[in-house]
Amino acid sequence: MANTVIRTHRLKNGLSLVSEAIPEARAAAFQIMTPAGALTEPAQTAGSSSVLENLCYRGAGSRDAREISDTLDELGIQRGGGADLETTTFAGALLADDLDEALAIYADIVLRPTLPPDQLEGARQLALQRLESIKDNPTQQLFIELFRIYFPGPHGRSPLGSRQGIEAITVESLRSDHHRRYVPGGSIISVAGRFDWDRLIETTERLFGDWEGQASQPPAPDTSNREHYQHIHEDSAQEQIGLAWPEVTADHSDFYASRIAIQVLSGGMGARLFTEVREKRGLVYSVAAFPRTVRGAGLVLVYAGTTPERRQECLDVLLEELRRLPDGVTEDELARARAGLLSSQVMQGESCSARAAAIARDQFTLGRIRPLDEVRAGIEQVTTGSVQEHLQRFPPTDFTIVTLGPEPVEVKQE
Amino acid sequence: MSIQQQTLANGLTIIGEPKSSAQSMAAGFFVRTGSRDESPEVSGVSHFLEHMMFKGTARRSPEDVNREFDEMGAHYNAFTSEENTVYYGAVLPEFQQRLLDLLSDMMRPSLRDEDFDLEKKVILEEIALYQDRPQFTAVDLARHLHYDETPLGFSVLGTVRTVGGLERNQMRDYFNRRYVPGNMTLALTGRYDWDAAVAQVSAACGSWGNSPAGREHPALQPRTRTHIVTDRRLNRAHLAFAAPGLSAQDPRHRAADVLAEILGGPRGSRLYWALIEPGLADIAQLFHDEGDGSGWFGAYISCDPADAEEVRSRFLKVLEEASREGIRPDEVSRVTRKTAAGHVIGGETPMGRLTSVGFDWVYRGLVESVDEEADALLAVSAADCTAILEERPFNNLTTVVLGPIRASFEPVPVENGSTSNGEAGGEGFSEPDAGGR
C-alpha cells in the first residue's frame, strides 16, 4: 500500500483523469463518472438517468447491443457502474494488458451511444420492472423512502425514477439529456492497478479529447422542512426501521473524528449497536450505522429489522445509544475503531476495483484525491477528546425516521 | 506460489496459499458440516451452532470474542450452507498469532445456556428476515422440492418450530459428532508465516480427539414437478427452478459452471437476451451449484405476475434450444475468458482467495492456483458443455412460482393473505447460504 502512486491529469475540455498505480497488480480497474445522476435529471422524466445508462449499452459507435456485450466479454471485463443520485458511472475491471482496448469501447458507449429507437421499449420496460421489484424488497423500499423525506428537494430522488417519468421518456428526450449531461466538464476517469501512465494520458487524450461541454451546477442539498417520521404499512414478517441525521462532510476538520464515532457505534461485532441491540437483547439479526456523503451534505444512516411486537423496544434502545454517544468514547473503543479503519484502508488498497471507485469518489466530492498516507494520519490523530468535541458540536439528534411493517412506532423527539 | 499442506496426527489439515506481496492475511476454519448433516427434528442446528461459536470458550466470554476481533481491526464473519460451515478473519500480518489463537479457541466453544436462549431470538429474527425476501424463499423451496425430502433439501435456517424447540444438549451432541479435527480444515492465504502457524495450531488443536464424522449420500430420484404458492401480499412473480447438476468431484464440474454462465449469467447470456433485454424480467439467472457427491442447476426469474406464464415458456424454450442444438464455441470462449479474468481479479486479495482455496481442498483434496484455475477454464470446450446437455438435465425440472398468482397461472389482485396449493408450505425456507452469523 505504501508504494502506490497517485497521479492526475486534466484535459483541456475539463475532464479529470485520476490514477493510482498498484505495484504487483495484474489487473486494472476503471470508472468513467459523469455528473448525470437522478439529482440533475429532468423532473418530468424521472428515471431517465437509469434508462439512458441502460440504452448506452444497447448500441454505440458502430456496434449494436449484442456486439457491445460480446466484445466486453471477450476482453474479460467485469462490468460495473450504473446511475446513482449524483452520478452515472461506467465501470470495469480487467487484465491490465487490455485496458486501452476497453477504454476505446467505453468511449463509444459514453460519447457515441446510438440510442436506437427499437431498443427504447425494452429499456423502458426493464426500468418499470425494477421499480415494481422494490415493493418486494422491504429494506430497499425503506431507504428510498428515508432519502425521500430526509431531502425534500431533488436530493431525495430515487435513481429508479417514477412510473410516470419513465413512461414519458422518448428517444428525443434521452438524446437531449445525453447532450446536456454527458459532458467532460465535471466528469472523471479513474484508473487503478497496473498501467503505463504516459500511455494512459495519450489514450485518454485520443479517445476523450474532442468531447465537449460543461455540466451545469447541481442544486445544493436542502434538508430544511424535512419530515421526521413516516410509516409505510406492509404485512411483513419484520418491522424495518431506518433512521438518519446530519453529519459533517469529508472536507470538514472534524471528518476523521466523525468516522471514529460511527465506527464506535457500528464498526464491528463488539461495537455499541451490535452489542446493545443484538448481543444483549437479541432484538435483531441485522443492525448497523453507516455514513453517506453527497456533495455538500453528510448524513448517518441506521438500519435495524425486528419482529413487529418488539419494534418499539428496538427503536428505543437505538435512540438511547445514539443519544448517549456525546457522553464520550473510551480509550479502548477509540483504539478498536482506529484499528478497524486503518486495516480497512490497507485491505481496500489490495483491490484495484475498490481503489478505482475510491479515487473517483474523492475527486468528485473533494476535487482532489486523499493519498492513503493522509487518510492514515487523519485517523491516527483522532483522540477521545476530539471525538467528544465533535459529538458536542454535531450530536446525533433531530432524527428522520421511517418504519415499514405492520404497525407504526411512537417517536419521541427531544 | 506453491501450496503448503500439513495434516496433524488427529486429522486436522492446515493448508496455505502464500502471497508475499500481499498486505494482509486471511485464515478460516472450514468445517464439513451443514443442514444436510442434520436430522429433521434439529433442522437449523448447524446454522444456530455457527452463531453460538462466537459466544465464548473456557478462556473467553462472548464479549471477549467480539472485542478481540475488533482490536485487530479484523474483517471477520462466518457462514453456513447445506454442507459447509466456515469461520474466517482477515487481518494485517502482524496479528497472525492473535487471529489463529482466537479462531482455534472458538472451535472449542462453551455453549452456555444463557447465551443459547438469547441467541435463539436472533436466529428467529433471521428466519423472519428471510421470510420477507421472496427471491430466497422461492429458490430454497425449489431446491427443497428438487431434493425430494432427502436431507440434501433441508433448510439451512430451519423453521420457527425446529429452532424454537431446539435444546442445548441436542446442539452439543451435534457439535461433538461434527466438529472433529478430521472433519475440519484450516486455510491460510496472503502474507503469513507458515512454520509459526503450523507450530501454533499443532499446540492449540493437536489434542482434540478425532472420530469419524461421516456423511450420508442419499439416492436421488429425479422428478418433474410444478408448485405454485399464491401469496397476495407480493407484487411480483418469483419463479425458481431446480434440475440435477454435477458434483464437485466430477471432472466436468467446470464445464457445468461454464454452461450455466452461457445459459443464464447476469449479462450477455441466452436468458439475458431472451428476457432482460426485451424488459420482460428484471432478473433472470441460471447457476450451477456443485456439492459433495451431487450438485444442482438453479434458476431465478423476477417478472410481472401477468407475464409469468409467457416468461416461463420463454425460459423453457431457451433450455430446449440449447439441449437440441448444443453450445457454440464462440459462447464458450467469451464466458471462459470473462470468468478466468474474474478469478484473477477476485484473487487479488487474500480474503478473496480464502474460500476458493478452502473449498478446493474440502471437495477435491487439492488447491489450484489462480493461473491453474484460469488455464483449466480456458480448456473447457463447447463439446464439453454440449455433452452435459446431452444428458438432458433439464428434463427433470422442478418449478416454483411464488406471488399473486393462481394455480392456473392467472394473476390475482394484490391483497393480504397467503395460500399454498401443494405439499410444501412456505414456512422458514431461506436462501442457500444463510448470511453471516
Side-chain angles (χ1 to χ4, degrees):
Chain A
M1 179 186 79
N3 305 325
T4 66
V5 181
I6 288 171
R7 296 193 193 88
T8 64
H9 172 78
R10 198 175 175 87
L11 278 68
K12 284 203 183 67
N13 58 12
L15 176 67
S16 299
L17 173 65
V18 302
S19 74
E20 181 165 341
I22 302 175
E24 312 276 350
R26 299 170 63 186
F30 64 89
Q31 295 217 328
I32 304 170
M33 183 181 269
T34 65
L39 177 61
T40 53
E41 70 191 6
Q44 66 275 16
T45 52
S48 69
S49 305
S50 295
V51 173
L52 178 57
E53 185 258 354
N54 187 262
L55 214 55
C56 284
Y57 288 98
R58 291 174 182 247
S62 60
R63 294 183 176 91
D64 67 15
R66 208 176 266 267
E67 288 164 341
I68 291 173
S69 176
D70 288 354
T71 312
L72 297 180
D73 285 352
E74 276 154 22
L75 285 171
I77 298 176
Q78 317 293 304
R79 298 184 233 170
D84 208 335
L85 176 62
E86 297 176 283
T87 58
T88 291
T89 302
F90 297 82
L94 74 168
L95 299 184
D97 292 344
D98 297 326
L99 179 62
D100 280 5
E101 218 175 319
L103 288 175
I105 298 161
Y106 275 87
D108 276 348
I109 292 170
V110 178
L111 271 54
R112 289 174 288 280
T114 52
L115 309 180
D118 62 344
Q119 286 282 343
L120 175 60
E121 215 38 48
R124 187 202 313 280
Q125 289 306 320
L126 182 56
L128 290 171
Q129 302 263 344
R130 287 184 173 149
L131 201 58
E132 290 298 324
S133 276
I134 292 169
K135 292 174 192 157
D136 283 357
N137 186 333
T139 310
Q140 200 186 0
Q141 197 184 345
L142 177 85
F143 278 103
I144 287 174
E145 188 63 15
L146 184 57
F147 249 71
R148 198 184 65 75
I149 72 167
Y150 185 85
F151 291 113
H155 280 79
R157 291 177 184 169
S158 158
L160 292 167
S162 68
R163 175 165 282 277
Q164 203 183 6
I166 293 166
E167 282 173 349
I169 291 168
T170 62
V171 168
E172 289 68 38
S173 77
L174 290 177
R175 187 159 289 130
S176 112
D177 200 14
H178 179 265
H179 180 73
R180 184 172 68 86
R181 297 199 297 147
Y182 279 38
V183 287
S187 286
I188 296 155
I189 297 181
S190 75
V191 177
R194 185 159 67 82
F195 56 87
D196 180 303
W197 175 238
D198 293 333
R199 202 167 101 196
L200 181 60
I201 293 179
E202 194 187 307
T203 305
T204 310
E205 290 279 4
R206 175 168 48 80
L207 295 171
F208 296 90
D210 296 337
W211 195 11
E212 288 175 0
Q214 176 68 40
S216 55
Q217 191 68 22
D222 181 11
T223 58
S224 55
N225 303 316
R226 66 186 156 103
E227 286 179 58
H228 286 92
Y229 181 55
Q230 178 91 42
H231 176 73
I232 305 163
H233 178 82
E234 282 286 337
D235 280 317
S236 45
Q238 275 194 321
E239 183 99 6
Q240 310 280 319
I241 301 172
L243 202 143
W245 75 90
E247 182 54 278
V248 299
T249 50
D251 51 0
H252 195 282
S253 56
D254 276 11
F255 176 72
Y256 293 105
S258 82
R259 288 305 180 265
I260 290 283
I262 296 167
Q263 190 79 4
V264 167
L265 263 184
S266 188
M269 295 189 196
R272 290 188 183 183
L273 291 185
F274 200 86
T275 301
E276 296 298 327
V277 182
R278 179 167 146 172
E279 299 292 74
K280 287 193 186 163
R281 296 177 178 84
L283 287 168
V284 300
Y285 169 72
S286 186
V287 59
F290 41 97
R292 173 85 197 256
T293 305
V294 298
R295 226 163 17 190
L299 61 154
V300 187
L301 299 165
V302 170
Y303 170 76
T306 188
T307 35
E309 54 272 25
R310 305 199 289 168
R311 65 190 186 282
Q312 190 68 46
E313 184 187 357
C314 186
L315 177 68
D316 291 346
V317 174
L318 277 177
L319 289 175
E320 168 64 22
E321 282 310 310
L322 301 179
R323 286 178 177 141
R324 81 177 177 95
L325 198 56
D327 297 347
V329 303
T330 67
E331 290 292 341
D332 288 348
E333 284 179 317
L334 172 66
R336 291 199 295 275
R338 194 184 273 152
L341 290 179
L342 290 174
S343 85
S344 291
Q345 283 296 315
V346 175
M347 290 184 205
Q348 189 196 71
E350 293 180 307
S351 160
C352 296
S353 301
R355 287 309 296 163
I359 62 176
R361 189 73 207 161
D362 260 13
Q363 183 68 27
F364 181 79
T365 50
L366 295 169
R368 69 182 190 95
I369 294 165
R370 291 170 295 174
L372 288 172
D373 287 348
E374 177 187 325
V375 174
R376 170 174 282 271
I379 295 166
E380 282 172 346
Q381 276 161 18
V382 175
T383 63
T384 54
S386 67
V387 174
Q388 189 159 12
E389 281 165 29
H390 164 67
L391 289 165
Q392 302 283 344
R393 277 194 290 271
F394 300 95
T397 184
D398 198 21
F399 303 109
T400 288
I401 299 172
V402 174
T403 52
L404 183 152
E407 296 287 344
V409 291
E410 191 188 333
V411 176
K412 293 158 282 201
Q413 291 278 355
E414 277 181 354
Chain B
M1 199 162 65
S2 61
I3 295 303
Q4 296 161 314
Q5 186 246 320
Q6 184 155 339
T7 299
L8 307 185
N10 66 359
L12 178 70
T13 296
I14 311 167
I15 51 163
E17 183 187 79
K19 181 179 174 184
S20 57
S21 65
Q23 307 289 328
S24 67
M25 65 161 293
F29 272 98
F30 290 68
V31 190
R32 195 169 160 271
T33 201
S35 52
R36 67 176 286 178
D37 303 300
E38 299 170 353
S39 53
E41 63 278 9
V42 297
S43 176
V45 67
S46 307
H47 169 254
F48 189 173
L49 173 60
E50 173 232 299
H51 281 233
M52 288 300 295
M53 300 291 283
F54 284 81
K55 291 294 184 179
T57 68
R59 33 183 194 110
R60 286 179 166 92
S61 71
E63 296 76 29
D64 289 338
V65 172
N66 290 340
R67 199 194 62 246
E68 287 182 44
F69 274 123
D70 288 353
E71 281 170 356
M72 292 182 264
H75 288 197
Y76 61 103
N77 212 325
F79 62 88
T80 307
S81 74
E82 296 85 348
E83 51 190 29
N84 293 289
T85 310
V86 180
Y87 305 82
Y88 63 88
V91 293
L92 304 187
E94 68 203 76
F95 294 116
Q96 170 176 329
Q97 193 272 336
R98 281 190 73 183
L99 177 67
L100 292 179
D101 178 59
L102 178 54
L103 282 174
S104 43
D105 190 33
M106 280 169 64
M107 293 302 108
R108 288 296 173 264
S110 297
L111 307 180
R112 285 175 277 254
D113 270 329
E114 62 270 31
D115 300 322
F116 182 87
D117 296 339
L118 190 59
E119 198 61 19
K120 191 180 272 190
K121 294 181 186 177
V122 175
I123 306 290
L124 294 173
E125 288 294 340
E126 194 174 348
I127 291 173
L129 181 149
Y130 283 105
Q131 282 171 351
D132 288 339
R133 295 190 180 175
Q135 61 274 43
F136 296 116
T137 308
V139 172
D140 212 41
L141 181 54
R143 186 180 62 80
H144 172 76
L145 295 172
H146 166 72
Y147 280 120
D148 200 22
E149 311 296 325
T150 70
L152 288 168
F154 285 179
S155 151
V156 171
L157 283 178
T159 66
V160 172
R161 187 178 54 78
T162 59
V163 169
L166 197 70
E167 290 174 15
R168 199 189 60 106
N169 58 354
Q170 293 175 299
M171 179 180 284
R172 172 58 75 181
D173 288 346
Y174 176 86
F175 172 84
N176 288 342
R177 273 188 292 115
R178 305 300 305 174
Y179 281 61
V180 289
N183 210 34
M184 300 168 76
T185 301
L186 173 66
L188 303 168
T189 53
R191 186 146 64 91
Y192 58 81
D193 180 337
W194 173 254
D195 293 337
V198 170
Q200 184 186 357
V201 174
S202 305
C205 314
S207 64
W208 299 349
N210 198 21
S211 60
R215 168 169 278 173
E216 300 288 314
H217 290 277
L220 298 173
Q221 190 59 51
R223 286 172 56 179
T224 302
R225 56 167 117 176
T226 298
H227 189 87
I228 297 181
V229 182
T230 307
D231 188 338
R232 292 156 191 249
R233 294 169 305 174
L234 294 174
N235 191 48
R236 306 282 288 164
H238 302 270
L239 281 63
F241 304 88
L246 276 59
S247 77
Q249 294 89 358
D250 190 314
R252 302 169 300 160
H253 70 94
R254 222 179 296 272
D257 294 344
V258 172
L259 172 62
E261 184 71 23
I262 288 168
L263 294 177
R267 280 168 163 143
S269 65
R270 292 193 183 193
L271 281 182
Y272 175 87
W273 297 112
L275 293 169
I276 305 287
E277 196 210 28
L280 264 169
D282 59 325
I283 304 173
Q285 294 182 12
L286 187 146
F287 55 87
H288 180 249
D289 187 15
E290 58 176 44
D292 184 8
S294 70
W296 64 295
F297 288 100
Y300 170 75
I301 303 174
S302 155
C303 68
D304 191 311
D307 297 332
E309 194 160 15
E310 165 74 12
V311 164
R312 183 177 67 154
S313 71
R314 287 202 193 196
F315 170 77
L316 295 176
K317 196 168 153 230
V318 166
L319 298 182
E320 279 156 19
E321 271 178 15
S323 300
R324 197 172 57 240
E325 294 163 17
I327 297 299
R328 299 189 312 274
D330 65 298
E331 295 178 294
V332 173
S333 114
R334 280 196 297 276
V335 159
T336 52
R337 293 200 60 179
K338 179 170 65 173
T339 312
H343 280 309
V344 174
I345 293 161
E348 279 176 334
T349 65
M351 195 56 246
R353 276 300 288 163
L354 188 72
T355 46
S356 304
V357 168
F359 286 141
D360 250 3
W361 180 263
V362 168
Y363 284 122
R364 292 181 276 270
L366 53 86
V367 175
E368 284 181 331
S369 68
V370 164
D371 288 326
E372 288 165 344
E373 241 174 65
D375 288 346
L377 259 170
L378 294 170
V380 171
S381 71
D384 297 336
C385 296
T386 301
I388 292 171
L389 285 168
E390 277 163 1
E391 296 182 6
R392 297 289 181 263
F394 301 113
N395 285 5
N396 293 111
L397 194 66
T398 297
T399 303
V400 165
V401 184
L402 169 64
I405 288 187
R406 292 200 182 94
S408 55
F409 257 88
E410 288 164 44
V412 295
V414 176
E415 54 180 79
N416 298 333
S418 168
T419 56
S420 172
N421 76 333
E423 65 272 44
E427 191 203 12
F429 292 108
S430 62
E431 66 166 340
D433 276 35
R437 59 167 294 229

